[in-house]
Amino acid sequence: MSILREKGMGIINIIVILLMLSVLSFVFKDNHFFKFTERLLVGVSAGYGFLIIFNAGFIKKIWIPLFYSTGTNNFFQVMNIILPCLLGLLFFTSFSKKYGFLAKYPLAFLLGTGAGVEIGPRIETSIMRQINSSVVDFSNLSLFEIFNYIIILIAIVTTMYYFLFIVRGNKKRENFIANIGIFFMMIGFGASFGYTIMGRLSLLIEVVDMFRERIFSIFGLL
Amino acid sequence: MFNNAYIFADSNGIIKSGRGESLLFFIFVLILFTLSYLLKIKHLPTRKLSGIEAIEEAIGRSTEMGSPILYVAGLKPVPAVSAIAGINVLGKIAEVAANYGTPIISPHNNSITMISAREEIKSGFLRAGNPELINSSKIFYITDSQFPYAASINSLTNEVKPGAIFYMGTFYAESLILTEHGQSTGAIQIAGTDSVAQIPFFITSCDYLLMGEELFTASAYIKKDLNSLKGVLMQDIAKIGIILYIIIRLLSKNL
């Protein structure tokens, strides 16, 4: 049994190495090996995604509550499941030329409710919390920290100024303030770029390490 | 269960820190909303957004090359504000493309976003008076997964060699994979995103970028109707209000 498992692992390692090499071959040129791996990846992920959605969405949220659960005896509870289903089914009318317009109703519902639901928390997280963390009590800070904070405050004000679209004109003085904002943004973006590249390099090191380990395991060196 | 019902105060009726500000903000937005209706402005000058102005140039170039246009939607599906803003820009792209008779290819990672894109492209082509050029099969779904989606778009870019590529919406780690490859094919690339972490990658590899709020404002810029522009004006006033509020609170805390 263990020999079979070892052989199986060996075959899996060979497949993994070949797939990794064919993906990396895209660095030089587009080729059939890359295309095969890409389509394999897309196909597997689409199939896997379908199964996940079918199981988590249809089976767990519709089928089981409607036919097997004892908690959905109430008419309103049943309607809570049936009505969204009917709304969702309207998407399929887009296949018909005559009734295709019906697909716009669930879409309008999703757009309206989605935007409404998302905007509320955004005010809290993107505006109120940012404002609160921008206001600092100087009494507990050292001179250097106060200086640091003043620079951050200038960055906040000038960056927000850059994102004025109508109030801000195209005059030289106004552009000067906006340019300070751009300067601060570029520093932030540069730092973010460097940080992400570091992250990507560590990913590459991990892949190379995995590659080495799998090759060694095939030849029995590990 | 009912704890969430206390919006500005906890169960003892004590106002929580930050909640009073939410109320203040809500009143401020209400005032701005009323003001936008009362203001009788006939013309609002806007500053230039190069990303919007370059749309026509990019599609024109694509037409000259005889290549299609590629529209790549972000990973967040349509109820997300960034996706809706992206779809609004797509309407303008479709209208210009229909005028030039250039086909649009648009792969998607979400079925709802795909349907929205189809509807917007149809509307754009109808507005331009070229409904016979609509080809819904070119607006298709690939997969929900992030990297297979990116790999598939790269492969598609290689096959069709688009003259212009638009990236609109929220992107994550796949942003550089997409744009770097798009740049290697020589296409004009215009991006619009609210993903702060991905903006550096778009700056380095795209020709034009609508960053953050520029993407959300783009639809008002495109429509150019007075009501939408009034909304942008109120946003500007809100931002100035926030700047003043921070400064006043800072002074009151430290003086």
Side-chain angles (χ1 to χ4, degrees):
Chain A
M1 190 70 186
S2 64
I3 295 169
L4 268 176
R5 192 182 294 161
E6 268 176 29
K7 278 190 176 175
M9 279 310 290
I11 292 166
I12 288 171
N13 281 338
I14 291 168
I15 293 170
V16 168
I17 288 164
L18 288 176
L19 290 176
M20 274 163 71
L21 281 175
S22 54
V23 169
L24 288 171
S25 68
F26 189 72
V27 174
F28 302 104
K29 206 184 167 187
D30 191 19
N31 55 68
H32 293 297
F33 295 110
F34 172 77
K35 275 183 184 161
F36 167 75
T37 316
E38 176 247 316
R39 277 151 174 84
L40 182 74
L41 191 64
V42 171
V44 169
S45 71
Y48 180 72
F50 173 75
L51 268 181
I52 294 283
I53 290 169
F54 187 75
N55 196 34
F58 182 71
I59 300 290
K60 284 189 180 166
K61 289 189 176 165
I62 300 168
W63 192 259
I64 292 174
L66 276 182
F67 300 106
Y68 295 101
S69 174
T70 49
T72 45
N73 299 327
N74 190 323
F75 173 77
F76 292 105
Q77 282 172 330
V78 172
M79 277 299 139
N80 257 350
I81 299 168
I82 299 278
L83 283 178
C85 282
L86 289 176
L87 203 63
L89 284 173
L90 286 180
F91 273 121
F92 288 100
T93 58
S94 56
F95 292 115
S96 153
K97 276 191 177 173
K98 197 176 174 186
Y99 299 107
F101 69 95
L102 287 172
K104 287 181 182 173
Y105 291 106
L107 200 62
F109 180 80
L110 269 175
L111 284 172
T113 50
V117 165
E118 198 176 309
I119 285 168
R122 276 226 177 184
I123 291 172
E124 181 67 27
T125 53
S126 306
I127 301 175
M128 301 319 298
R129 283 192 193 168
Q130 300 291 338
I131 291 173
N132 284 334
S133 53
S134 303
V135 180
V136 176
D137 189 0
F138 285 168
S139 59
N140 303 322
L141 302 179
S142 68
L143 208 64
F144 181 74
E145 282 171 330
I146 293 172
F147 176 72
N148 203 12
Y149 172 75
I150 288 169
I151 291 176
I152 291 170
L153 187 71
I154 293 169
I156 292 169
V157 172
T158 50
T159 307
M160 280 183 79
Y161 187 83
Y162 171 81
F163 284 104
L164 297 180
F165 297 98
I166 291 175
V167 175
R168 190 189 123 205
N170 281 320
K171 286 178 193 162
K172 231 179 183 181
R173 190 181 54 204
E174 292 164 330
N175 279 338
F176 174 71
I177 302 171
N179 283 342
I180 297 173
I182 292 175
F183 176 75
F184 279 113
M185 278 194 281
M186 288 306 146
I187 292 173
F189 293 149
S192 167
F193 191 89
Y195 181 73
T196 315
I197 293 298
M198 270 168 60
R200 298 283 167 94
L201 275 177
S202 71
L203 271 178
L204 179 71
I205 291 165
E206 212 172 282
V207 166
V208 172
D209 213 33
M210 198 173 79
F211 195 70
R212 182 187 60 87
E213 269 177 26
R214 291 204 185 243
I215 285 187
F216 277 22
S217 71
I218 289 169
F219 294 106
L221 295 170
L222 268 181
Chain B
M1 186 190 168
F2 293 103
N3 282 346
N4 293 335
Y6 293 93
I7 299 168
F8 301 115
D10 62 14
S11 53
N12 299 318
I14 298 164
I15 291 176
K16 287 178 181 176
S17 79
R19 296 296 163 96
E21 281 139 9
S22 297
L23 177 65
L24 203 73
F25 187 79
F26 178 71
I27 295 167
F28 185 49
V29 170
L30 212 66
I31 292 167
L32 288 179
F33 187 71
T34 322
L35 204 68
S36 70
Y37 272 92
L38 296 178
L39 274 179
K40 284 178 181 166
I41 303 168
K42 285 185 179 169
H43 173 67
L44 280 170
T46 50
R47 74 174 168 89
K48 281 184 180 176
L49 278 185
S50 44
I52 293 291
E53 285 176 12
I55 289 177
E56 196 138 351
E57 176 201 333
I59 297 172
R61 183 174 174 271
S62 201
T63 313
E64 279 171 13
M65 288 166 68
S67 313
I69 299 157
L70 188 67
Y71 176 88
V72 181
L75 286 189
K76 268 195 180 177
V78 138
V81 181
S82 58
I84 297 170
I87 294 288
N88 280 333
V89 179
L90 176 61
K92 165 77 175 174
I93 295 167
E95 203 178 325
V96 179
N99 279 329
Y100 285 106
T102 310
I104 298 180
I105 300 171
S106 182
H108 289 272
N109 71 329
N110 182 277
S111 51
I112 311 286
T113 316
M114 181 195 77
I115 291 172
S116 317
R118 268 188 189 168
E119 291 299 327
E120 197 59 42
I121 289 174
K122 267 184 202 169
S123 315
F125 274 69
L126 283 169
R127 277 197 301 274
N130 278 336
E132 70 281 355
L133 294 176
I134 299 168
N135 187 354
S136 294
S137 64
K138 301 259 180 188
I139 304 130
F140 53 92
Y141 168 84
I142 298 175
T143 172
D144 276 69
S145 308
Q146 182 183 16
F147 290 109
Y149 177 60
S152 185
I153 289 169
N154 278 357
S155 184
L156 185 74
T157 311
N158 257 353
E159 278 169 27
V160 299
K161 298 263 184 281
I165 308 177
F166 297 90
Y167 305 94
M168 299 283 161
T170 305
F171 291 86
Y172 299 100
E174 76 288 354
S175 63
L176 192 62
I177 300 171
L178 296 172
T179 52
E180 187 65 27
H181 184 68
Q183 197 194 40
S184 72
T185 61
I188 282 193
Q189 298 195 105
I190 300 176
T193 187
D194 63 338
S195 325
V196 180
Q198 305 307 321
I199 287 175
F201 302 116
F202 284 120
I203 289 175
T204 47
S205 51
C206 288
D207 299 280
Y208 298 95
L209 172 69
L210 297 167
M211 56 179 173
E213 225 173 300
E214 289 176 348
L215 173 65
F216 303 133
T217 324
S219 62
Y221 264 70
I222 289 164
K223 284 179 190 163
K224 281 182 181 162
D225 71 305
L226 205 59
N227 277 335
S228 308
L229 289 175
K230 269 185 187 173
V232 178
L233 175 68
M234 293 308 131
Q235 271 183 49
D236 279 8
I237 295 171
K239 275 176 228 158
I240 292 168
I242 289 169
I243 293 172
L244 292 175
Y245 181 68
I246 291 173
I247 294 168
I248 290 166
R249 266 195 65 187
L250 191 72
L251 292 175
S252 66
K253 208 168 193 173
N254 292 297
L255 288 179

